[in-house]
Amino acid sequence: MPADLLDVSVDVMRPHGLIGNEGLALWLGSSDGNQARVTHLVALRGGGFHASPVQLRLSWNAMSRLTDLADELGTYLVGQIHSHPGRFVDLSDVDRKYGIRCQDFLSVVCPHYAQRTVSGLEECGVHLFDGGGYRRLGTAEVARRIEISAATVDVVNLEVPA
């Protein structure tokens, strides 16, 4: 993960949390063998992205535009981060049922609707889709499996249609 990925993600989610909604940032990247590398953060704008207090929705057109962007950049959707109210950093039933269900997809949950500074992933819930379902990674596994690099993330503001 680029060193600034978490901070930039919180900055992208913060305006949604300010009005009492969940926020979202999508992470694109590439893989080299068994290791994925996040290179781009996608901030969604437009009618194809809807945020509410307990749910996020992307239209089919939004997903199509995201796929086109990933193809243009030579990347794929590695993971995402979204915010929850209060200290709740587990995945909700909605997250588990309707979230992206793809092997090794990373789903991170940021507390307090991204209204507070987060000093590291240990303050978030880090979940991996593995073997047909999501499992939350413990602190030791996060430290072992997720490396922070000196790189910086490229931010893409993506207008998504309804």
Side-chain angles (χ1 to χ4, degrees), residues 71-130:
D71 285 344
E72 291 167 19
L73 296 172
T75 60
Y76 70 97
L77 188 58
V78 173
Q80 59 88 24
I81 185 170
H82 71 283
S83 62
H84 278 177
R87 295 183 182 145
F88 184 65
V89 293
D90 285 324
L91 293 177
S92 68
D93 290 341
V94 171
D95 294 333
R96 291 180 184 283
K97 185 173 181 180
Y98 297 110
I100 293 174
R101 300 174 55 80
C102 180
Q103 183 64 35
D104 297 324
F105 186 77
L106 192 63
S107 183
V108 178
V109 179
C110 178
H112 304 289
Y113 278 148
Q115 295 306 293
R116 299 181 184 179
T117 302
V118 177
S119 62
L121 284 173
E122 61 277 356
E123 295 180 41
C124 300
V126 180
H127 308 86
L128 184 71
F129 193 83
D130 185 27

